[in-house]
Amino acid sequence: MDINVLNIKGQETGRKVTLNESVFGIEPNDHVLYLDVKQYLANQRQGTAKAKERSEHAGSTRKLGRQKGGGGARHGDINSPLLRGGGRVFGPKPRDYGFKLNKKTKALARKSALSYKAQENAIVVVEDFTLDAPKTKSFIDIAKNLKVDGKKVLLLLPEVDKNVYLSARNLEKATVMTANDVNAYKVINAEVLVVTENSLKTIDSMLG
């Protein structure tokens, strides 16, 4: 699949790039995509929820009433989960929600996500660029020139560019990351994938 390379003014440069079929042209695997997205979202969870159980509550351990003859249920101390202010039964405890996925599984998930974007014609290739200073208006102008303004955009750069990152940071629908860090969730969550030429080479060498 050939795609025209644009500059940041949205004009064609006269060059074309060919998307690697082994990365952008495979049959997407939905189940692997599901697993990778599930792992990504699980890793975002803090896992700090905590509720006190019966043994952790401060309160008297004196038995509230006699064992038999009261005409009601038996009660031990005041920390019983059945009583107001008592402990919680099997409450949440701090835990790690993350789980392991094989490298080949994660690579297949990224290829599947990129292939979906290629099928949807939602990939824009732009020549490598940088910004002289962090300025949100500059990034908005580039998005307008590339006709991706108003859409969820994921911009992939070959390496960290602080000015570009800071220019897009205030925009709710724009995400900037390096090609090495790209993951299936970010690709699927974006409406349009904007890739620089060198980022494309990085993806090819990483997944091809």
Side-chain angles (χ1 to χ4, degrees), residues 110 113-114 117 154 156 182-191 193:
R110 280 179 284 181
L114 293 169
K117 281 290 172 276
L154 173 61
L156 297 184
V182 68
N183 60 71
Y185 174 79
K186 292 292 187 181
V187 174
I188 287 294
N189 192 44
E191 292 179 74
L193 185 62

Side-chain angles (χ1 to χ4, degrees), residues 37-58:
V37 170
K38 181 181 177 183
Q39 187 202 38
Y40 177 83
L41 294 177
N43 288 337
Q44 306 307 303
R45 298 183 68 174
Q46 285 186 318
T48 53
K50 175 72 174 74
K52 287 186 178 180
E53 296 189 354
R54 182 172 188 159
S55 63
E56 298 170 309
H57 262 279

Side-chain angles (χ1 to χ4, degrees), residues 15 23 44 51-52 59 77 90 102 124 143 169 173 178:
R15 301 193 306 278
V23 177
Q44 306 307 303
K52 287 186 178 180
D77 59 56
F90 303 130
N102 293 332
V124 176
R169 187 171 60 174
K173 292 187 176 183
T178 61

Side-chain angles (χ1 to χ4, degrees), residues 24-206:
F24 294 90
I26 70 166
E27 181 65 32
N29 188 317
D30 289 340
H31 182 64
V32 167
L33 263 176
Y34 157 75
L35 290 176
D36 194 67
V37 170
K38 181 181 177 183
Q39 187 202 38
Y40 177 83
L41 294 177
N43 288 337
Q44 306 307 303
R45 298 183 68 174
Q46 285 186 318
T48 53
K50 175 72 174 74
K52 287 186 178 180
E53 296 189 354
R54 182 172 188 159
S55 63
E56 298 170 309
H57 262 279
S60 173
T61 58
R62 178 181 66 86
K63 188 169 173 62
L64 297 181
R66 51 190 292 187
Q67 179 78 353
K68 291 177 176 290
R74 303 174 282 189
H75 282 303
D77 59 56
I78 202 168
N79 300 324
S80 167
L82 302 177
L83 301 177
R84 180 182 176 89
R88 181 170 172 184
V89 181
F90 303 130
K93 294 182 178 180
R95 55 170 288 198
D96 179 11
Y97 286 90
F99 59 93
K100 181 180 180 297
L101 275 184
N102 293 332
K103 286 183 179 178
K104 288 184 178 179
T105 303
K106 293 177 73 66
L108 180 57
R110 280 179 284 181
K111 289 180 183 179
S112 297
L114 293 169
S115 294
Y116 266 128
K117 281 290 172 276
Q119 289 175 11
E120 296 165 2
N121 293 320
I123 297 178
V124 176
V125 179
V126 64
E127 63 182 6
D128 293 290
F129 70 94
T130 186
L131 297 176
D132 297 330
K135 197 170 184 182
T136 305
K137 187 177 184 303
S138 299
F139 192 91
I140 292 174
D141 289 339
I142 293 173
K144 286 180 179 178
N145 294 337
L146 297 176
K147 298 179 181 177
V148 296
D149 55 314
K151 297 179 180 178
K152 273 189 179 179
V153 177
L154 173 61
L155 171 62
L156 297 184
L157 299 175
E159 56 188 20
V160 176
D161 189 317
K162 190 175 180 181
N163 287 344
V164 176
Y165 170 75
L166 291 176
S167 298
R169 187 171 60 174
N170 286 338
L171 301 175
E172 184 180 359
K173 292 187 176 183
T175 304
V176 176
M177 63 193 309
T178 61
N180 282 323
D181 296 330
V182 68
N183 60 71
Y185 174 79
K186 292 292 187 181
V187 174
I188 287 294
N189 192 44
E191 292 179 74
V192 181
L193 185 62
V194 178
V195 191
T196 64
E197 286 182 279
N198 279 329
S199 297
L200 211 53
K201 294 176 183 176
T202 302
I203 291 171
D204 281 347
S205 62
M206 184 172 61

